[in-house]
């Protein structure tokens, strides 16, 4: 079944023009996860950031709080920066989350596009590749082996270490998050892990080459096809006009700041409209968003789509309406559209 979920980066919300405190935003996220479950969505995921305006710096703790407030929805990460986490600690945190939630934990492991965690935790960006490769090897061994003996260059060695609590047999669903690097795509295939693509600008179809590369690499190493997911930004409202104007109001200053920081394109209205029409912004009425998700899913052979619904200072009522409409109207419509296209091609 095609899965539809939500991603939050813990970005602070507003209510009646007042910016919520960090603590209020954390509690709001728990409420929103509960609403996501009630609306019929499949997955609720959190990011990992260490910057002003974000409250997702202790992701496993917040996911555990959500686990106690929900009973069905899968709980995961939009990305966990494995390079600056300790794999042993991470294993303990997510094994505990999986136990608390009754087997609902998931994780997406990535190398990081935002690199604040490297200096914060004492890591050198020059070790970017080595950190991820060694830590991924250790994390996967901790997931799959009863006792782990391991040595490397990025942490102290282990001798017959048996972590407790144990994860479920085979570990939790573990995805590799990629931002477009072919090397990351090949890494996911080599380890036999599902692929989560972060598509935050431009035509999503430009990632079709990475999808082909991934599926070809899986076949070459004798692995079956594995799930492919996409993470993109967006907002759902009752009408296209309401959605577009609301998103522009709060998206424009965020992208302007990122453009100054990272050299992104300037957020002009023309560029914004282009992203809405054929780019990676999923903004509009339920029918508009459903049609766009279904089209992308067909083109990229997706089995999962996660919408990042929070953006800095977006009003809490707009966030809630997106969640409700995504679960109630968009998700069933996407499945209907995909089912119809599959029947036509059969």
């Amino acid at each position: 079944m095609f899965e539809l979920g939500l991603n939050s980066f813990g970005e602070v919300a507003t209510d009646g023009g007042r910016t919520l405190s960090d603590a209020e935003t954390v509690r709001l996220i728990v409420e929103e996860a509960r609403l996501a479950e009630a609306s019929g969505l499949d997955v609720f995921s959190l990011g990992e950031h260490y910057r002003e305006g974000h409250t997702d710096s202790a992701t496993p703790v917040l996911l555990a709080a959500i686990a106690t407030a929900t009973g069905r929805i899968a709980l995961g990460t939009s990305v966990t920066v494995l390079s600056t986490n300790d794999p042993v600690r991470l294993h303990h945190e997510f094994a505990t989350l999986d136990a608390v939630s009754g087997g609902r934990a998931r994780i997406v492991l990535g190398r990081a596009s935002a690199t604040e965690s490297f200096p914060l935790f004492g890591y050198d960006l020059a070790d970017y590749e080595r950190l991820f490769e060694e830590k991924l090897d250790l994390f996967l061994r901790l997931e799959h082996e009863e006792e782990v003996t391991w040595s490397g260059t990025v942490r102290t060695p282990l001798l017959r270490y048996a972590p407790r609590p144990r994860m479920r047999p085979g570990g939790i669903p573990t995805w590799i998050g990629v931002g477009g690097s072919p090397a990351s795509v090949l890494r996911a295939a080599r380890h036999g892990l599902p692929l989560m693509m972060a598509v935050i600008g431009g035509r999503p179809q430009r990632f079709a080459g990475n999808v082909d590369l991934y599926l070809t690499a899986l076949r070459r190493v004798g692995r079956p096809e594995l799930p492919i997911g996409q993470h993109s930004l967006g907002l759902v409202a009752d009408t296209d006009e309401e959605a577009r104007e609301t998103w522009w109001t709060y998206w424009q200053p965020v992208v302007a700041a990122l453009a100054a920081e990272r050299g992104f394109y300037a957020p002009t209205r023309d560029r914004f409209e282009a992203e809405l029409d054929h780019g990676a912004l999923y903004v509009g009425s339920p029918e508009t968003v459903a049609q766009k998700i279904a089209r992308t899913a067909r083109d990229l052979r997706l089995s999962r789509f996660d919408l990042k619904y929070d953006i800095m200072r977006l009003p809490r009522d707009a966030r809630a309406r997106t969640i409700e409409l995504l679960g109630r109207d968009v998700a069933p419509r996407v499945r209907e559209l995909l089912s119809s296209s599959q029947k036509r091609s059969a």
Side-chain angles (χ1 to χ4, degrees):
M1 184 182 74
F2 186 83
E3 290 189 318
L4 203 61
L6 290 168
N7 280 336
S8 169
F9 286 2
E11 297 188 47
V12 295
T14 55
D15 188 9
R18 181 182 69 86
T19 300
L20 300 186
S21 69
D22 288 353
E24 289 173 314
T25 300
V26 166
R27 293 192 292 271
L28 175 63
I29 291 167
V30 177
E31 293 176 22
E32 290 172 339
R34 189 186 295 117
L35 178 60
E37 179 173 86
S39 300
L41 289 166
D42 301 300
V43 191
F44 190 90
S45 301
L46 290 168
E48 180 190 350
H49 296 84
Y50 303 90
R51 57 194 307 166
E52 184 180 359
H54 296 259
T55 62
D56 59 344
S57 57
T59 307
V61 178
L62 187 47
L63 288 172
I66 292 170
T68 66
T70 57
R72 175 196 59 81
I73 196 166
L75 304 174
T77 64
S78 55
V79 68
T80 293
V81 186
L82 179 61
S83 306
T84 56
N85 274 281
D86 180 77
V88 177
R89 170 55 61 194
L90 205 61
H91 179 279
H92 283 291
E93 289 170 340
F94 279 84
T96 302
L97 171 65
D98 200 49
V100 168
S101 65
R104 291 184 282 143
R106 300 183 179 191
I107 193 167
V108 175
L109 300 173
R111 296 182 300 168
S113 58
T115 57
E116 292 89 353
S117 61
F118 281 80
L120 181 63
F121 295 115
Y123 290 97
D124 189 339
L125 271 171
D127 298 327
Y128 192 78
E129 290 289 340
R130 179 165 57 92
L131 285 165
F132 190 80
E133 283 286 359
E134 288 194 19
K135 291 186 176 187
L136 178 60
D137 173 65
L138 177 52
F139 185 81
L140 294 177
R141 291 183 60 182
L142 288 163
E143 279 195 307
H144 297 293
E145 299 176 15
E146 283 289 332
E147 291 185 337
V148 176
T149 296
W150 180 92
S151 63
T153 65
V154 298
R155 60 150 290 133
T156 52
L158 300 176
L159 178 61
R160 300 183 64 187
Y161 181 68
R164 293 293 184 274
R166 288 296 306 162
M167 278 188 181
R168 68 180 98 158
I172 65 173
T174 301
W175 300 57
I176 292 292
V178 302
S181 165
S184 295
V185 173
L186 292 172
R187 181 184 292 112
R190 185 171 71 251
H191 288 284
L193 299 175
L195 187 71
M196 178 59 73
M197 301 184 295
V199 183
I200 60 173
R203 291 179 64 88
Q205 287 75 11
R206 77 187 195 279
F207 284 80
N210 277 349
V211 171
D212 291 339
L213 177 65
Y214 177 63
L215 295 175
T216 299
L218 286 173
R219 288 193 293 270
R220 285 177 176 169
V221 296
R223 297 188 185 276
E225 287 194 10
L226 294 170
I228 301 170
Q230 178 177 320
H231 149 106
S232 292
L233 284 67
L235 177 143
V236 191
D238 292 288
T239 67
D240 286 338
E241 182 180 7
E242 179 189 357
R244 288 176 176 232
E245 292 309 312
T246 300
W247 192 256
W248 169 255
T249 298
Y250 296 94
W251 177 85
Q252 190 277 336
V254 169
V255 178
L258 285 173
E261 176 185 328
R262 302 188 192 180
F264 287 178
Y265 64 80
T268 65
R269 185 73 192 211
D270 286 346
R271 286 185 178 273
F272 173 66
E273 296 291 344
E275 286 291 337
L276 294 176
D277 292 342
H278 53 261
L281 288 182
Y282 293 76
V283 174
S285 66
E287 181 65 18
T288 295
V289 173
Q291 289 282 353
K292 191 169 185 178
I293 291 173
R295 184 167 58 251
T296 305
R298 287 191 295 264
D299 291 343
L300 298 181
R301 287 167 278 185
L302 305 179
S303 58
R304 174 180 168 188
F305 183 94
D306 287 356
L307 185 76
K308 183 188 176 296
Y309 70 98
D310 60 351
I311 197 164
M312 205 69 69
R313 296 180 176 81
L314 184 67
R316 64 184 298 168
D317 58 350
R319 292 163 56 132
R321 192 62 175 152
T322 288
I323 296 169
E324 291 170 340
L325 292 173
L326 191 70
R328 189 191 70 193
D329 297 343
V330 175
R333 179 63 172 143
V334 169
R335 294 187 183 110
E336 178 186 29
L337 290 166
L338 292 177
S339 177
S340 296
S341 64
Q342 287 168 358
K343 288 176 182 176
R344 287 195 299 271
S345 63

